[in-house]
Amino acid sequence: EVQLVESGGGLVQPGGSLRLSCAASAFTFSNYWMHWVRQAPGEGPVWVSRITTDGSATTYAGSVKGRFTISRDNANNTLYLQMNSLTAEDTAVYFCARGYSSRPASAFDLWGQGTMVTVSS
Amino acid sequence: DIQMTQSPSSLSASVGDRVTITCRASQIIITYLNWYQQKPGKAPKLLIFAASSLQSGVPSRFSGSGSGTDFTLTISNLQPEDFATYYCQQSYSTPPAFGQGTKVEIK
């Protein structure tokens, strides 16, 4: 089955760090730009970051630039999001999503189930 | 950044109704507009891409139209499984922004 499965979420204190993973299966992961999208409780989705097929280029939303790092391991079909200096405003469900096209902005045609990140003392 | 505004924010409808949701972009995005359906506790699901192209496996009662700044999602013959929240999203430029959502509820 074509799918994305996130892991690594949890409760973290303000200022802390967390690393999310997204395991891809049943499609050629290395052919797709990949993205992270987050959704705070009761809010709409917000794009966070993207990475090109070979990992050579990355882009971030202004709210996370300098704190979050996206990366990928094509040999193991896995996408990552390293999150540092977390604040309460980063509390959300984090989804990994596949870019429908290799455009900097894209539709997202495959989503994971999401992993909850809660930043609280 | 491009802002996306949906209307209405919520609506009540009955099974069999025709429902229309509107999305407006703060600047011209040609037809780089996508629609998603989200049910509680689930990830968004792509319904329509490039303003009017139906994603594979999506029922034909869903349709999209528009270009420039104004877009519409129409659900004809509303079914019980269509009660959900719908989001538009522009894919013209970074960041790829979403609208605030339209919740379709049972009347």
Side-chain angles (χ1 to χ4, degrees):
Chain A
E1 180 187 358
V2 174
Q3 64 177 356
L4 297 168
V5 178
E6 301 96 336
S7 60
L11 175 64
V12 60
Q13 292 189 337
S17 299
L18 214 52
R19 189 196 199 199
L20 307 182
S21 300
C22 169
S25 56
F27 69 95
T28 306
F29 178 70
S30 59
N31 285 354
Y32 292 87
W33 290 35
M34 295 297 296
H35 303 255
W36 287 98
V37 177
R38 70 184 181 184
Q39 188 171 27
E43 304 288 323
V46 175
W47 176 82
V48 172
S49 181
R50 68 163 177 260
I51 188 167
T52 52
T53 53
D54 62 358
S56 62
T58 58
T59 309
Y60 300 91
S63 59
V64 307
K65 195 170 186 178
R67 300 188 300 122
F68 290 13
T69 302
I70 189 172
S71 62
R72 65 191 297 163
D73 178 352
N74 284 344
N76 290 296
N77 297 325
T78 305
L79 177 72
Y80 300 101
L81 186 68
Q82 176 68 43
M83 305 186 296
N84 298 330
S85 303
L86 286 162
T87 72
E89 287 65 44
D90 297 315
T91 294
V93 176
Y94 284 73
F95 298 98
C96 60
R98 187 176 74 177
Y100 180 79
S101 68
S102 295
R103 278 177 47 82
S106 171
F108 309 114
D109 68 341
L110 180 67
W111 297 65
Q113 85 287 355
T115 187
M116 183 71 206
V117 172
T118 303
V119 184
S120 175
S121 56
Chain B
D1 295 359
I2 297 174
Q3 312 300 321
M4 307 301 294
T5 304
Q6 288 182 233
S7 61
S9 56
S10 65
L11 64 89
S12 296
S14 301
V15 172
D17 283 355
R18 180 184 179 95
V19 167
T20 299
I21 299 169
T22 297
C23 178
R24 173 166 288 176
S26 60
Q27 64 187 74
I28 290 172
I29 58 170
I30 313 177
T31 57
Y32 289 101
L33 190 283
N34 314 298
W35 290 99
Y36 299 83
Q37 176 193 68
Q38 188 176 33
K39 296 182 179 180
K42 301 294 187 181
K45 172 188 174 183
L46 180 63
L47 300 175
I48 302 281
F49 63 94
S52 60
S53 295
L54 197 65
Q55 175 68 345
S56 176
V58 174
S60 59
R61 63 180 179 272
F62 291 92
S63 63
S65 65
S67 65
T69 60
D70 295 317
F71 302 87
T72 298
L73 173 70
T74 299
I75 313 171
S76 59
N77 188 21
L78 195 69
Q79 295 299 296
E81 60 268 30
D82 301 336
F83 292 95
T85 300
Y86 294 84
Y87 295 96
C88 63
Q89 175 240 334
Q90 67 85 10
S91 52
Y92 179 78
S93 67
T94 300
F98 292 81
Q100 82 279 14
T102 296
K103 187 173 184 179
V104 176
E105 299 176 299
I106 302 173
K107 182 183 284 186

